């Protein structure tokens, strides 16, 4: 391979050997000390030559891509487990209660309460409700859930009492309590703002 690399290098104005090249064949690393016999008997050998800096950048990019995919897969599993836990809770209570994850709800302002409005049909949508103090509450609703149902359950979760008047806004527009999530432009992971007096 050293002779082949030298012959390859002679065809370029850049000294390929000075770039500390990395040789790859069929996704396997080949070393300059490799012989043709050690690579197997073939009529033609296709070997890719990369300057080490390019090879290292590509390996880092591939490692980052693998890490990103692993994180997305882990998040998808967490979301699935959360949805299954919420659904089991709703099924166990006959759809009459709102599930709140006590590990998250009320711990501090940087953490989120997690709940699901039961009994809805349609596509599930995760929404975040932020109050004036900056505390977030995460709800899993469906496209058929009404804004009023969200308000009622938010009042219960936030412990505001029956006399509190709560309004929800999305993109600085007040939401009609009679409309459903499907009637609005609200999508997964959108944030609503809660105001009350």
């Amino acid at each position: 391979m050293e002779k082949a690399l030298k012959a390859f290098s002679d065809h370029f104005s850049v000294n390929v050997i000075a770039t500390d090249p990395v040789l790859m064949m069929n996704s396997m690393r080949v070393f300059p000390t490799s012989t043709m016999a050690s690579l197997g008997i073939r009529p033609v050998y296709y070997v890719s030559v990369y300057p080490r800096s390019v090879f290292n950048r590509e390996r880092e990019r591939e490692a980052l891509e693998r890490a990103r995919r692993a994180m997305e897969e882990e998040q998808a599993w967490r979301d699935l487990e959360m949805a299954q836990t919420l659904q089991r809770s709703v099924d166990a209570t006959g759809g009459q209660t709102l599930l709140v994850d006590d590990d998250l709800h009320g711990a501090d302002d940087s953490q989120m309460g997690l709940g699901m409005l039961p009994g809805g049909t349609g596509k599930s949508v995760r929404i975040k409700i932020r109050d004036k103090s900056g505390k977030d509450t995460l709800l899993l609703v469906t496209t058929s859930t009404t804004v009023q149902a969200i308000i009622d359950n938010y009042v219960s979760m936030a412990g505001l009492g029956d006399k509190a008047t709560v309004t929800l806004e999305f993109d600085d527009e007040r939401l009609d309590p009679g409309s459903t999530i499907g009637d609005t432009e609200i999508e997964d992971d959108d944030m609503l703002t809660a105001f009350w007096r």
Side-chain angles (χ1 to χ4, degrees):
M1 286 304 294
E2 285 176 318
K3 289 181 183 177
L5 185 58
K6 174 74 172 119
F8 177 74
S9 180
D10 290 343
H11 292 322
F12 293 94
S13 58
V14 174
N15 184 356
V16 173
I17 295 175
T19 65
D20 191 19
V22 175
L23 308 174
M24 299 291 290
M25 186 173 84
N26 297 334
S27 301
M28 293 178 53
R29 186 131 179 232
V30 177
F31 296 93
T33 56
S34 301
T35 64
M36 297 302 165
S38 70
L39 299 176
I41 305 298
R42 294 192 176 119
V44 178
Y45 295 89
Y46 292 100
V47 177
S48 301
V49 179
Y50 300 95
R52 184 163 302 276
S53 60
V54 172
F55 179 76
N56 289 344
R57 276 197 308 267
E58 182 62 20
R59 299 256 327 240
E60 287 173 9
R61 187 193 65 75
E62 288 172 358
L64 287 172
E65 181 63 22
R66 279 193 305 273
R68 184 188 63 78
R69 281 195 307 264
M71 285 174 46
E72 286 177 354
E73 189 175 304
E74 184 179 330
Q75 183 61 45
W77 278 109
R78 273 195 235 127
D79 289 349
L80 179 62
E81 288 173 359
M82 176 185 73
Q84 289 172 340
T85 301
L86 291 170
Q87 189 59 50
R88 280 193 301 272
S89 175
V90 168
D91 291 344
T93 60
Q96 299 302 312
T97 62
L98 174 70
L99 173 69
V100 177
D101 186 335
D102 291 323
D103 292 338
L104 295 173
H105 184 61
D108 64 45
D109 288 353
S110 67
Q111 295 179 321
M112 295 183 285
L114 176 65
M116 179 176 184
L117 298 183
T121 60
K123 178 184 166 201
S124 293
V125 179
R126 286 186 315 253
I127 60 172
K128 186 188 319 182
I129 301 177
R130 178 166 289 169
D131 66 17
K132 55 190 170 187
S133 69
K135 183 177 179 181
D136 293 341
T137 301
L138 184 65
L139 291 175
L140 184 61
V141 299
T142 65
T143 53
S144 64
T145 304
T146 64
V147 173
Q148 186 60 52
I150 295 170
I151 290 172
D152 293 343
N153 282 284
Y154 179 75
V155 166
S156 173
M157 288 178 70
L160 299 177
D162 296 336
K163 295 186 181 185
T165 303
V166 176
T167 58
L168 294 178
E169 287 186 2
F170 175 65
D171 283 344
D172 295 325
E173 290 186 21
R174 185 174 176 184
L175 295 174
D176 175 15
S179 65
T180 65
I181 293 298
D183 297 334
T184 68
E185 295 179 7
I186 296 171
E187 297 176 351
D188 248 353
D189 299 320
D190 278 342
M191 185 173 69
L192 310 181
T193 309
F195 298 96
W196 66 84
R197 50 190 161 90

